[in-house]
Amino acid sequence: MTYNINDKGYYGEFGGAYIPEMLYPNVEELRQNYLKVMAEPEFQEEFNALLKDYVGRPSPLYFAKRLSEKYNTKIYLKREDLNHTGAHKINNTIGQILMAKRLNKSRIIAETGAGQHGVATATVCALMGLECIVYMGEVDIARQAPNVARMKMLGAKVVPALSGSRTLKDATNEAIRDWINNPVDTHYIIGSVVGPHPYPDMVARFQAIVSEEIQWQLKEKEGTTKPDYVVACVGGGSNAAGVFYHFLEDTEVKLIAVEAAGKGVHSGESAATSILGKEGIIHGSKTLLMQTPDGQITEPYSISAGLDYPGVGPMHAHLCKSGRAEFIAITDDDAMTAGLDLCKMEGIIPAIETSHALAIFEHKKFQPDDIVVVSLSGRGDKDLDTYVKHFNL
Ligand SMILES: Cc1ncc(COP(=O)(O)O)c(C=O)c1O
């Protein structure tokens, strides 16, 4: 069995491109070109130069000494929070803006939940001098206000999505609608490993730099390229895809995906797709999807805007169904506690999304000589208000 994509755009039974006819030319243009463009030496050169000098890669692989002592195991944090704009999202937007330029697009659209992808998209549009429109749910605009201000500073237009739960799913719907109406000059920079093929694969390849670095960084620190465990939170799944990518086929490396249980998996307010989801189609991809018995999408909930999505990327649906990755759901309260713990123990304020991944140490026991690499997907500046209110600080 392979855990990577096949030549039809599927991970096992998940993936594909289930799109309206109006969207077909855009998606097909991308499908025919993405691998060719990515293989060009000039593309690789420009991508790697920007990752190094603009994003600040490689991001450190930091041995968290006090956290490791507390949980009696070896914990390394892959510091994507130290990237320019404060999260892993910029790896993908750098790649996609270069792709858009190669395809002669002048207008960029994006969806965002936590605002990190919106900020990363606005940033690369400013860098390249391209028009930028970001769709964002009205609820997320309120809870991630600092990122809305950043996008505006960077010259992007932020358009509120007013339908449904007014969160990430609804922002994605608006972005797709825009793309249908502007098929020629516009590139849609999707922010996670979701959407129709080739997006999940293209985004995973742009994020794969993260596990490529982990291999040589771990070799330097521990004398091995292989951690025992790799852990990441999953919204759509792009930071997880990045840290998993080079370990997908090596089953000695165990993969742990952490989802948002919200107020409890069965509380009716959750985003635990792997447990609650059934096969369905969302945003052009066949995947696991939270839905009612008659196939209506269930409104998701999480305290973290970036995990508040009723589906998951098709790679992760396959990793879940095949048993290759272990899926663990973490509640709002447990995530917030783990986030505050990292602040107090390591002097790092994580994004609330990331705090879900950090909470696994209270839920799963590791051996003293296990090497556990956790994706520190983003920094918590955008979430200060939520932390302060939650803990009455
Ligand atoms: C810091 C951070 N981590 C994780 C995520 C979840 O997205 P993904 O699953 O695509 O990594 C987000 C999404 O906005 C984010 O901002």
Side-chain angles (χ1 to χ4, degrees):
M1 178 175 315
T2 175
Y3 300 102
N4 225 311
I5 199 155
N6 67 21
D7 56 5
K8 303 263 184 318
Y10 282 83
Y11 297 88
E13 64 191 284
F14 301 107
Y18 298 82
I19 47 174
E21 205 179 319
M22 305 275 283
L23 215 54
Y24 183 78
N26 311 24
V27 173
E28 184 58 14
E29 181 187 26
L30 195 60
R31 189 189 68 77
Q32 284 184 9
N33 287 293
Y34 83 112
L35 289 176
K36 239 183 328 197
V37 171
M38 284 176 77
E40 285 168 10
E42 309 86 76
F43 182 92
Q44 282 299 321
E45 211 171 288
E46 203 178 345
F47 181 54
N48 289 325
L50 284 171
L51 288 185
K52 178 168 178 282
D53 296 330
Y54 189 71
V55 175
R57 303 206 71 88
S59 68
L61 183 66
Y62 166 69
F63 178 65
K65 187 161 174 288
R66 294 189 66 210
L67 210 61
S68 297
E69 278 165 8
K70 175 170 177 183
Y71 292 107
N72 195 23
T73 190
K74 289 189 200 173
I75 302 173
Y76 281 90
L77 304 176
K78 183 59 173 158
R79 300 288 311 274
E80 293 299 296
D81 60 315
L82 294 178
N83 293 341
H84 179 44
T85 70
H88 64 295
K89 298 283 183 187
I90 189 94
N91 305 322
N92 168 46
T93 59
I94 294 271
Q96 285 206 48
I97 201 82
L98 296 180
M99 183 68 64
K101 276 182 46 181
R102 297 298 192 283
L103 299 178
N104 293 320
K105 307 294 178 183
S106 57
R107 183 175 174 272
I108 298 296
I109 56 171
E111 86 298 335
T112 197
Q116 285 302 133
H117 174 60
V119 168
T121 304
T123 299
V124 296
C125 286
L127 182 68
M128 299 293 171
L130 297 185
E131 185 186 353
C132 181
I133 296 107
V134 180
Y135 292 93
M136 187 169 190
E138 199 183 31
V139 168
D140 293 338
I141 287 180
R143 65 177 157 173
Q144 306 280 221
N147 275 345
V148 177
R150 290 165 84 198
M151 286 183 261
K152 289 182 179 168
M153 287 283 292
L154 292 160
K157 185 171 165 204
V158 181
V159 181
L162 305 173
S163 61
S165 55
R166 291 168 292 139
T167 60
L168 183 55
K169 157 179 75 65
D170 315 290
T172 310
N173 288 338
E174 293 300 329
I176 290 174
R177 207 164 289 146
D178 179 314
W179 208 22
I180 289 174
N181 291 331
N182 298 282
V184 179
D185 63 342
T186 299
H187 175 68
Y188 177 15
I189 301 191
I190 295 187
S192 192
V193 286
V194 300
H197 176 64
Y199 276 103
D201 185 44
M202 179 173 68
V203 176
R205 284 170 189 262
F206 288 139
Q207 292 290 359
I209 181 71
V210 183
S211 47
E212 194 183 309
E213 287 173 6
I214 291 171
Q215 288 181 312
W216 64 257
Q217 288 173 320
L218 210 55
K219 181 83 184 164
E220 279 178 12
K221 290 176 195 297
E222 293 280 350
T224 173
T225 55
K226 295 182 191 189
D228 295 288
Y229 292 89
V230 184
V231 184
C233 66
V234 173
S238 67
N239 88 95
V243 290
F244 292 172
Y245 197 85
H246 288 279
F247 305 116
L248 281 174
E249 308 295 341
D250 183 350
T251 51
E252 279 180 24
V253 180
K254 296 174 208 74
L255 311 177
I256 301 179
V258 184
E259 290 183 317
K263 296 186 178 163
V265 171
H266 299 292
S267 65
E269 290 183 89
S270 146
T273 311
S274 71
I275 301 167
L276 301 173
K278 302 256 176 323
E279 192 181 300
I281 289 169
I282 182 168
H283 301 139
S285 180
K286 189 201 282 185
T287 188
L288 290 173
L289 175 62
M290 288 164 46
Q291 53 190 300
T292 60
D294 58 353
Q296 296 301 313
I297 295 172
T298 311
E299 300 297 348
Y301 163 81
S302 164
I303 194 168
S304 78
L307 304 186
D308 197 349
Y309 187 67
V312 70
M315 173 199 279
H316 299 296
H318 182 46
L319 292 175
C320 176
K321 265 292 171 71
S322 64
R324 172 69 185 94
E326 181 180 1
F327 278 68
I328 296 176
I330 295 293
T331 61
D332 288 356
D333 284 347
D334 287 356
M336 296 301 275
T337 303
L340 190 62
D341 210 34
L342 190 76
C343 302
K344 298 275 163 67
M345 295 202 64
E346 297 288 347
I348 300 169
I349 303 174
I352 297 177
E353 289 79 13
T354 313
S355 296
H356 286 73
L358 295 163
I360 59 142
F361 295 104
E362 288 290 337
H363 288 259
K364 186 176 170 74
K365 180 106 189 74
F366 296 93
Q367 296 304 311
D369 57 356
D370 279 343
I371 297 171
V372 185
V373 174
V374 182
S375 168
L376 205 81
S377 57
R379 68 179 187 224
D381 308 35
K382 68 185 178 59
D383 297 317
L384 291 185
D385 207 35
T386 311
Y387 279 123
V388 165
K389 283 201 183 106
H390 189 86
F391 293 110
N392 275 324
L393 297 175

